[in-house]
Amino acid sequence: VAIGAHALEDQDAGQDGYNVAVGYNAGADISTGIINVCIGGNAGKTATTPNELVAVGYNAAGLGVLTGSSNTLIGSHSGYDMTSGNQNTGCGQATLFETTTGAENTAVGYQAGRNVVDGIRNTFVGALAGDATNDGDDNVAVGYTALSANAGDQNTAVGTAALTLSTGGGNTAIGHGAGETATSAIDCIFIGHDAGGNQVSTTNDQLYIARSGASLGNDPVFLYGGSTGALINGDNSSTFNTVSD
């Protein structure tokens, strides 16, 4: 089924192609690809041999010579540059915009995962979540601007601005602004509103469980980490330089 000027104009899959294209240039370059749905101006325009592509929105999957399969791209410019990527899901304007060979990524929200090029198995939910991550793998970000810098691998950020500046890997942050000042730090854990805020940027192997604005010596805060294994408990009444089983 083709509705619109140049829609499916290069189709060569025969009557068993099961392709649907609605809109100007929708699916224009699809040749032997099958079971594709392209709706919107230039949606899937330069895709050639994709299978089971869903591209909905102006320029969704509209630039890359897409050969990958099982991609779902909904929103203006979603998956715009995609080429051989497989099993990606983008829902929102410019989600997975620069993804070319990345696979098994899920991005939901305005420009979520926008700059993922070849990263795999990332999940970004929320406006600008994971939007600058380029080649990171296995990251999870839920919340506005969570994990918004070019993150490494295996980070988990839940909450608005959680790990928003992080370029490190192996970090976990849960709470609004948790770990938001961490940059290249790796293998850190931040739990609570603004946990670790203004306290960690590049230091590795830290644990922060604190309320917003907690300060050492006055407010309840629990810290563990660093090369000395220092432990600060409660109101700083207990400090140990070493930790043993």
Side-chain angles (χ1 to χ4, degrees):
V1 178
I3 301 174
H6 309 297
L8 291 179
E9 68 177 356
D10 287 344
Q11 179 176 252
D12 190 28
Q15 64 181 359
D16 295 326
Y18 302 108
N19 293 305
V20 176
V22 179
Y24 175 74
N25 275 334
D29 293 346
I30 292 177
S31 56
T32 58
I34 62 173
I35 318 176
N36 300 292
V37 176
C38 302
I39 300 175
N42 294 326
K45 177 184 182 296
T46 53
T48 55
T49 59
N51 295 320
E52 299 179 317
L53 165 67
V54 176
V56 179
Y58 175 70
N59 267 329
L63 180 65
V65 181
L66 179 57
T67 60
S69 298
S70 302
N71 294 293
T72 300
L73 306 165
I74 301 174
S76 170
H77 293 89
S78 180
Y80 184 62
D81 289 338
M82 195 168 294
T83 55
S84 61
N86 294 295
Q87 301 172 352
N88 295 289
T89 300
C91 184
Q93 196 270 340
T95 51
L96 302 178
F97 181 92
E98 294 190 10
T99 301
T100 54
T101 61
E104 299 174 338
N105 296 293
T106 299
V108 179
Y110 172 74
Q111 296 195 11
R114 175 187 171 93
N115 292 326
V116 174
V117 175
D118 55 2
I120 60 174
R121 297 184 302 270
N122 296 292
T123 300
F124 301 128
V125 179
L128 302 177
D131 63 307
T133 295
N134 185 313
D135 57 356
D137 301 334
D138 301 302
N139 293 295
V140 176
V142 180
Y144 173 71
T145 70
L147 212 61
S148 190
N150 187 12
D153 303 332
Q154 301 172 355
N155 295 287
T156 300
V158 179
T160 295
L163 291 176
T164 190
L165 300 178
S166 178
T167 59
N171 298 296
T172 299
I174 301 175
H176 183 288
E180 66 180 328
T181 60
T183 53
S184 61
I186 62 173
D187 297 326
C188 293
I189 299 174
F190 308 95
I191 301 176
H193 185 191
D194 291 336
N198 298 318
Q199 293 171 316
V200 172
S201 58
T202 61
T203 307
N204 303 330
D205 304 305
Q206 301 293 301
L207 167 62
Y208 281 76
I209 305 177
R211 70 172 181 81
S212 175
S215 59
L216 300 182
N218 297 308
D219 299 315
V221 61
F222 300 82
L223 304 169
Y224 168 75
S227 59
T228 62
L231 172 65
I232 302 175
N233 182 17
D235 61 358
N236 202 25
S237 60
S238 301
T239 302
F240 305 89
N241 291 326
T242 59
V243 176
S244 60
D245 294 334

